[in-house]
């Protein structure tokens, strides 16, 4: 079996005919394919470098790692699943918790590496046992709750860290980003985060020129006078160079905080694979386990050198839907461009200079959207929250996860927030299900007729 690196020319190589699509094993002319690859990079780059910035990781390394991860994914799936692997946003809350526990970037990437390994093993189990194992262990009511508490657990990060740095820039950036998401159409709406960042940059520069320095916290608890937009690091940065690499370190408490995100990643991959299969006309349910294994392997590779965890990106699925071009050749080009970006320290310096107020405006929308993806899973899967079997573990888990409730087990070990909330939801649901009366447990199996669960792509990237 080939590795999916040979493509046949589609038609005249210019544009797909009306009603036709360019399939994963086809391509347009190389010039057009490279252009589509560049479009994929623009689509993903906003979220791809916001995630590492919010987690305290190197943005240059994250972008370069996304290119390498995408190539690895395409090779493992043998070109069947056209997808781009970018930095996962699901671990931002994990990073915040690990930081409060005294962990550093190495501790974070060590925890994410373990998550990648577990995700790989989950993919292998799904590949061996079939996709129905996903529904048996992680039904939509559980998955939706975990995704929701991961997103809403981040609210204090925005309220306490980013927004106070420049409330007016944050407010204007939030309004503009919301406008871009809702009002703009097509390609522009898919790069709304990138446009919001650019808008915030401009506003910060204008406010510096008009009002001078601002007196506020600048990444710390103490308020000081500082420029909103400081580009001094950009001038000092080289044009060409390797990003900062570091080895991971491992902490049990950090790993336990990060492990619940595996649930969100499985749901995310399931949604994306299902969506791509529907759009290409090539059912890919049998490849879900392989896709999850590939995502896990890519995460292990990225985090082993200090990069973030990776995940398939819904932004790029949107680009394919708009262009009707599903060629994996375009993703190879996109990966190449991302690797080149990662080798430009000046690009990383521009990213590192993003003002805190801008991140405040972006994260208000971004974190809220991550949380509401959990509700989206419930709606699409027709989860009945009037059913006590669903209501009780979800209600308890959400309050514990969002409120950062802690459970001290020993003098040096405790569970809290995301980890404890996830444990309550998963264990609570399955324990209560054993004892619940039959009328509470009637649920249609996943990915079969009658259950729309995971039938659409989920963007918890």
């Amino acid at each position: 079996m080939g590795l999916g690196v040979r493509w046949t020319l589609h038609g005249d190589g210019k544009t797909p005919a009306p009603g036709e699509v360019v399939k994963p094993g086809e391509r347009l002319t190389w010039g057009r394919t490279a252009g589509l690859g560049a479009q994929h990079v623009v689509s993903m780059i906003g979220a791809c470098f916001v995630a590492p910035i919010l987690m305290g990781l190197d943005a240059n390394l994250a972008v370069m790692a996304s290119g390498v991860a995408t190539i690895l994914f395409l090779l493992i799936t043998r070109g069947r699943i056209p997808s781009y692997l970018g930095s996962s946003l699901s671990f931002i809350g994990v990073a915040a918790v690990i930081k409060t526990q005294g962990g550093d970037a190495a501790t974070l990437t060590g925890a994410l590496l373990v998550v990648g390994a577990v995700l790989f093993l989950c993919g292998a189990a799904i590949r061996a046992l079939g996709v129905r194992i996903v529904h048996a262990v992680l039904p939509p009511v559980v998955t939706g709750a975990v995704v929701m508490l991961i997103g809403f657990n981040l609210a204090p990060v925005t309220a306490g860290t980013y927004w106070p740095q420049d409330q007016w820039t944050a407010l204007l950036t939030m309004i503009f980003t919301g406008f871009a998401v809702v009002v703009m159409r097509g390609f522009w709406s898919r790069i709304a985060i990138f446009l919001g960042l650019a808008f915030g940059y401009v506003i910060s520069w204008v406010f510096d020129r008009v009002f001078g320095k601002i007196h506020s916290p600048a990444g710390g608890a103490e308020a000081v006078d500082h420029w909103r937009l400081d580009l001094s690091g950009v001038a000092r940065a080289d044009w060409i160079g390797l990003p900062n690499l570091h080895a991971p370190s491992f902490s049990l408490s950090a790993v336990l905080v990060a492990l619940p995100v595996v649930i969100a990643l499985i749901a995310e991959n399931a949604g994306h694979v299902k969506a791509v299969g529907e759009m290409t006309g090539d059912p890919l349910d049998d490849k879900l386990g392989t896709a999850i294994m590939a995502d896990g392997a890519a995460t292990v590779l990225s985090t082993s050198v200090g990069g973030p965890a990776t995940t398939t990106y819904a932004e790029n699925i949107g680009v394919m839907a708009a262009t009707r071009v599903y060629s994996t050749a375009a993703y190879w080009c996109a990966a190449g461009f991302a690797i080149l970006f990662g080798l430009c320290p000046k690009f990383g310096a521009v990213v590192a200079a993003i003002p805190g107020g801008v991140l405040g405006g972006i994260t208000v929308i971004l974190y809220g959207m991550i949380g509401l993806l959990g509700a989206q899973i419930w709606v699409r899967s027709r989860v009945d929250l009037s059913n006590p079997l669903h209501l009780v573990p979800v209600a308890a888990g959400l309050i514990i996860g969002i409120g950062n409730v802690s459970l001290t087990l020993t003098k040096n070990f405790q569970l809290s927030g995301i980890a404890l909330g996830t444990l309550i939801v998963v264990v609570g649901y399955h324990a209560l299900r054993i004892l619940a009366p039959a009328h509470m447990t009637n649920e249609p199996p996943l990915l079969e007729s009658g259950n729309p669960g995971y039938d659409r792509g989920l963007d918890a990237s």
Side-chain angles (χ1 to χ4, degrees):
M1 185 181 293
L3 295 176
V5 293
R6 293 183 179 180
W7 303 272
T8 59
L9 191 67
H10 176 87
D12 62 2
K14 295 181 179 179
T15 55
E20 293 186 359
V21 300
V22 180
K23 295 182 178 181
E26 299 177 330
R27 64 170 178 84
L28 300 178
T29 62
W30 280 114
R32 288 175 172 81
T33 298
L36 286 165
Q39 187 171 331
H40 278 298
V41 171
V42 173
S43 177
M44 68 83 186
I45 204 154
C48 193
F49 67 57
V50 165
I53 287 295
L54 297 177
M55 291 189 288
L57 300 176
D58 189 310
N60 265 47
L61 177 58
V63 172
M64 186 172 75
S66 76
V68 176
T70 298
I71 290 174
L72 180 62
F73 181 89
L74 294 173
L75 290 174
I76 292 176
T77 59
R78 300 185 184 278
R80 283 270 319 266
I81 306 174
S83 287
Y84 193 93
L85 267 63
S87 307
S88 176
L89 291 163
S90 298
F91 291 95
I92 296 172
V94 169
V97 173
I98 290 175
K99 183 177 181 180
T100 62
Q101 294 178 344
D104 56 11
T107 309
L108 171 61
T109 51
L112 302 192
L113 189 152
V114 174
V115 169
V118 172
L119 186 63
F120 181 90
L121 294 176
C122 289
I126 294 168
R127 182 175 177 178
L129 301 174
V131 295
R132 288 171 184 79
I133 190 66
V134 176
H135 183 60
V137 179
L138 302 173
V141 61
V142 169
T143 306
V146 173
V147 173
M148 184 174 288
L149 68 86
I150 286 171
F152 292 158
N153 177 268
L154 295 167
V157 178
T158 293
T161 302
Y162 297 120
W163 191 278
Q165 293 187 41
D166 187 354
Q167 61 176 358
W168 294 111
T169 296
L171 179 63
L172 290 174
T173 302
M174 179 193 73
I175 293 171
F176 178 86
T177 304
F179 170 86
V181 171
V182 175
V183 178
M184 293 185 176
R185 294 290 183 267
F187 172 72
W188 297 107
S189 68
R190 284 187 290 276
I191 61 169
I193 300 299
F194 177 78
L195 295 176
L197 290 170
F199 174 84
Y201 250 85
V202 173
I203 288 296
S204 298
W205 182 85
V206 170
F207 280 6
D208 280 343
R209 304 285 81 75
V210 175
F211 303 112
K213 292 183 177 181
I214 186 173
H215 185 78
S216 70
E222 184 179 353
V224 296
D225 291 332
H226 63 95
W227 296 110
R228 297 167 180 83
L229 178 61
D230 182 3
L231 296 175
S232 58
V234 178
R236 295 192 300 268
D238 296 328
W239 280 103
I240 299 175
L242 286 172
N244 296 318
L245 308 178
H246 66 77
S249 64
F250 300 95
S251 162
L252 178 59
S253 60
V255 169
L256 291 176
V257 169
L259 274 177
V261 183
V262 168
I263 297 173
L265 295 179
I266 290 174
E268 187 172 30
N269 275 282
H272 289 176
V273 168
K274 188 73 174 178
V276 171
E278 289 179 350
M279 289 189 295
T280 60
D282 178 19
L284 296 171
D285 289 350
D286 63 318
K287 291 296 180 182
L288 175 59
T290 302
I292 292 175
M293 289 174 63
D295 191 4
T299 291
V300 169
L301 178 62
S302 174
T303 54
S304 66
V305 295
T310 61
T311 188
T312 51
Y313 262 27
E315 290 91 334
N316 299 94
I317 293 175
V319 171
M320 291 190 295
T323 60
R324 294 181 293 133
V325 178
Y326 304 98
S327 172
T328 55
Y331 281 105
W332 277 86
C333 293
F337 289 135
I339 292 171
L340 291 176
F341 270 126
L343 294 173
C344 179
K346 199 170 285 291
F347 166 78
V350 171
V351 174
I354 298 173
V358 177
L359 292 176
I362 293 289
T363 54
V364 164
I365 294 177
L366 200 59
Y367 295 170
M369 289 173 65
I370 293 172
L372 288 176
L373 284 171
Q376 189 179 53
I377 292 174
W378 288 343
V379 170
R380 288 175 172 168
S381 302
R382 300 173 188 168
V383 172
D384 181 10
L385 290 179
S386 67
N387 184 344
L389 173 60
H390 298 162
L391 184 62
V392 171
V394 165
L398 285 178
I399 292 300
I400 287 173
I402 296 171
N404 271 326
V405 175
S406 297
L407 180 67
T408 301
L409 301 176
T410 69
K411 182 178 180 180
N412 299 317
F413 179 72
Q414 67 177 19
L415 289 172
S416 63
I418 294 173
L420 182 58
T422 299
L423 191 65
I424 293 296
V425 173
V426 176
V427 176
Y429 171 81
H430 286 289
L432 290 173
R433 184 180 174 86
I434 295 172
L435 303 173
H439 71 273
M440 292 186 186
T441 61
N442 293 327
E443 297 173 344
L446 178 64
L447 298 177
E448 290 187 1
S449 59
N451 189 342
Y454 305 137
D455 276 358
R456 298 291 184 269
L458 304 175
D459 183 12
S461 20

